[in-house]
Structure formats: C-alpha cells, structure tokens
Amino acid sequence: MSTAQPGVIAAAADKGTRTDSAASSAASNASSVGLVAVIVAATDGEPRALTVQVEGQAKGRESALPAGPLVPEHATLERGLRAWVEQQTHQRLGYVEQLYTFGDRDREDGQHGVHLLSVAYLALVRELRPAGLAEAAWRNWYRYLPWEDFREGRPPALAEIEPRLMAWVAAAADPKLRRLREDRVGLSFGIGGAWNEERVLERYELLFEAGLIPEANGQTGAAVADDVAITGQPMAHDHRRVLATAIGRLRGKIKYRPVVFELMPPAFTLLQLQRTVEALSGTRLHKQNFRRLVAQQGLVEETEALTSGNAGRPARLVRFRREVLLERPAPGVRLTPSRRTV
C-alpha cells in the first residue's frame, strides 16, 4: 500500500497492493508521477508563494510547495493538482497553467535509478489565509531567491555571490570549460552586460552547478545559517528549482499577456498595479512611462470610485478591461525600468 503525506511527492503513483506482475512492470519502467503547485499572490506590493512544511527533510529545508502524487482517482493532471492543493491548504485555484515537467533520476533519496516525474503548475490567486495544514503559509518568494530583487537597488547578495562564481570559473582546469563557465556566468548574472530578469532558472542552475547552495549536496544538503541571507532559504526536494522556473515564466508572461490582473482586486489604483508588476519583475519602473503604456494598451478603465485618501490625496480606482483580450493579440505590460546599475 503506497501512501503520500501532504506536501511530499510519493514514490508510487498508484494506491492499493500491487501484484508481482505490476511490481515487475513498475520496476522496469522505473518512474512515478507527482504534481507540484507554484501558487502566487501579490499582497501589499510583495510577491508571495504558498508553501507547506514537510517532515523528514535536511535541517532548514522543511519548506515546500504544495504537492502530491497522481493517483487513479484523479481524472486529469489538473484535477489531481487542485485536489492536493485544496486538501493541504484549502486554497481554491482559479487561473492555472502547466509550467514544466521535471524528470531527473534520483530526485528523492532512497529511489536510486528511478525517474520521479513532477508535473509543475503555475497558479495565480489573491491571497487568503490558508486553512488546511497548520504549517501552510504565504512566503515572500525573495526569501528563497534574494539575488533576484532589484527594487531597492543592486541586491547585497550579489556582492557575495559573484566572487564565489568567479572562483568556480577559475577552478576549471580546461581552458574551454573555463571560458564556457565565464560566458554563462556573465550572461546569466549580467556581468559586463545587462541583467535579464527572466533568467531566474539559469541563475539558480549556475549556483547549483557551482555547489554554492545546499541542494547541490542532494536531499541531505542542510541549510547553512550564515549563507541564507546570501543564497536564500533552501527548500525541500527540488522545489526551489520549480519556484525559479515559475518566476522566470511569469516575468516573461506579464509582458505579453495580462495575467497580472489575476492578482489584482476588482478595483485598484494605478500605483497598486505598478507595485504589483514591480514585485513580480524585481525591478522599479518609471512611473510616467508605465502609466503611458497602460493607457496606450487600453488595459484598464476608470471607475467612479476613489480611495479614501487616508494616506494622502484620493486616487481614482480603475479596473481591468477584459475587452482588450479581443482587441489585440499580446496585451501585456512591457517593462520600462528606471535607471539601474548591475
């Protein structure tokens, strides 16, 4: 009988006792399927991901994304995902899209030679208090990837990360490998060039390959307290890689699809909209250029309501114009950052 604890990808995708024939077939196929959800909200101008706590992890890696195995009771992958999320957090999902399938061997301890497939999904919601597991909580996603947040200038973490990466580059004995590493580091981290906010996964993968994060040591790699502020809080399994993939995808998607409005209340101010886009992209935007773009794209329309004005001059509330979906093929929010030094 295979069982799955909340938040843990089980090693088997079926329930019930296997026959010898079924076990033999499973051994020959050597794979199982799990479902992982990156559930994103933007609250008070901060990007948040819904997490759960799981047991049996290396020290400091108890935080995970909602997840569970695909079982016969699930008619589709997406229904299975929704079922696990509701069970673990009581969060009902609205906008959901398939993100990526992760299938490296030995992704879990004790399953040597087995391909554990995880089908990851990205969901955009408005934050509600989790009511499922007591350990379910919303966390700022820059807690896990602190080098990605340029909103207050160059992240301090980069001052520590870049020398470590360059030491890794220099450690390559083969000149061609050293050149390749140097090029990858320069391109991903904007050294000698521009920072591309969408290369989140590439930056995470380089830190992993260079052995600069606990996940590089496998499932037994524990968090290093002195490094958490620099290389971020590690997560259970490979969930930080999944989160990095989702952030990069979302940063690219907001430029050509109006998905950011899935995170907004029915009525909001233009400043609230700008702060949400900044939170997701990790960069400050030029206020006038941002408002000009929103107006040119016809993304919002004014309502009759104003803010209360308790914190200053009352502002007009606007709402998303859903008609824009029919008017143009790519009604996104192109980013016009204020000046930034990498």
Side-chain angles (χ1 to χ4, degrees), residues 81-93 131-132:
L81 179 87
R82 291 177 183 273
W84 278 118
V85 169
E86 289 190 29
Q87 176 181 324
Q88 294 173 18
T89 69
H90 287 194
Q91 174 75 53
R92 296 183 68 88
L93 301 182

Side-chain angles (χ1 to χ4, degrees), residues 148-167:
E148 292 291 337
D149 188 6
F150 274 81
R151 290 175 297 169
E152 301 303 325
R154 190 173 189 269
L158 287 178
E160 296 285 343
I161 288 173
E162 288 178 1
R164 298 182 190 186
L165 284 172
M166 296 315 295

Side-chain angles (χ1 to χ4, degrees), residues 42-342:
T43 306
D44 297 328
E46 293 300 327
R48 313 258 278 172
L50 187 54
T51 65
V52 295
Q53 298 292 105
V54 296
E55 298 178 354
Q57 305 302 307
K59 184 178 180 181
R61 291 182 59 181
E62 299 82 7
S63 185
L65 300 169
L70 178 69
V71 297
E73 288 82 355
H74 299 152
T76 66
L77 293 172
E78 187 175 316
R79 287 186 185 180
L81 179 87
R82 291 177 183 273
W84 278 118
V85 169
E86 289 190 29
Q87 176 181 324
Q88 294 173 18
T89 69
H90 287 194
Q91 174 75 53
R92 296 183 68 88
L93 301 182
Y95 176 91
V96 174
E97 70 171 69
Q98 194 170 124
L99 179 64
Y100 196 76
T101 298
F102 299 83
D104 296 344
R105 284 190 305 172
D106 304 332
R107 293 176 60 247
E108 305 283 341
D109 277 352
Q111 300 294 326
H112 300 296
V114 175
H115 278 284
L116 293 173
L117 304 178
S118 284
V119 183
Y121 285 80
L122 172 64
L124 305 182
V125 301
R126 293 172 197 145
E127 181 175 334
L128 298 173
R129 180 182 175 85
L133 296 177
E135 298 85 358
W138 289 98
R139 305 287 187 192
N140 188 310
W141 74 27
Y142 294 123
R143 169 192 181 109
Y144 305 103
L145 303 153
W147 61 87
E148 292 291 337
D149 188 6
F150 274 81
R151 290 175 297 169
E152 301 303 325
R154 190 173 189 269
L158 287 178
E160 296 285 343
I161 288 173
E162 288 178 1
R164 298 182 190 186
L165 284 172
M166 296 315 295
W168 173 69
V169 169
D174 181 72
K176 289 184 178 179
L177 177 58
R178 187 161 57 249
R179 179 62 179 175
L180 176 61
R181 287 182 177 182
E182 185 177 14
D183 289 345
R184 290 175 59 203
V185 170
L187 182 63
S188 297
F189 282 85
I191 299 175
W195 175 275
N196 185 332
E197 68 277 355
E198 294 181 40
R199 295 186 178 274
V200 188
L201 180 60
E202 289 93 328
R203 287 186 280 272
Y204 174 84
E205 294 284 10
L206 272 173
L207 295 176
F208 182 98
E209 190 175 334
L212 300 182
I213 54 178
E215 290 93 329
N217 297 318
Q219 299 302 319
T220 59
V224 179
D226 291 342
D227 266 3
V228 167
I230 299 169
T231 59
Q233 184 71 46
M235 301 183 80
H237 315 303
D238 59 349
H239 286 191
R240 193 153 57 141
R241 175 181 280 116
V242 178
L243 178 61
T245 304
I247 294 173
R249 169 74 64 83
L250 188 54
R251 285 180 170 182
K253 202 173 186 69
I254 60 177
K255 298 175 184 178
Y256 64 89
R257 297 299 299 167
V259 292
V260 65
F261 296 102
E262 299 288 342
L263 304 172
M264 304 301 297
F268 48 87
T269 67
L270 288 174
L271 180 59
Q272 288 172 330
L273 178 62
Q274 179 178 337
R275 291 290 181 255
T276 298
V277 174
E278 290 174 337
L280 300 179
S281 64
T283 187
R284 284 290 180 219
L285 302 176
H286 189 280
K287 181 178 178 180
Q288 285 73 29
N289 287 349
F290 177 80
R291 296 193 173 197
R292 187 179 303 114
L293 172 64
V294 170
Q296 290 173 347
Q297 292 279 76
L299 295 172
V300 302
E301 60 187 1
E302 291 187 348
T303 71
E304 298 299 322
L306 298 172
T307 59
S308 64
N310 292 336
R313 183 178 177 180
R316 177 72 61 183
L317 293 176
V318 299
R319 59 179 168 236
F320 174 52
R321 284 185 64 247
R322 296 203 171 271
E323 295 84 355
V324 76
L325 296 172
L326 303 175
E327 295 171 356
R328 57 179 56 88
V333 181
R334 293 188 298 276
L335 305 182
T336 306
S338 54
R339 289 187 176 182
R340 180 178 67 199
T341 301
V342 179

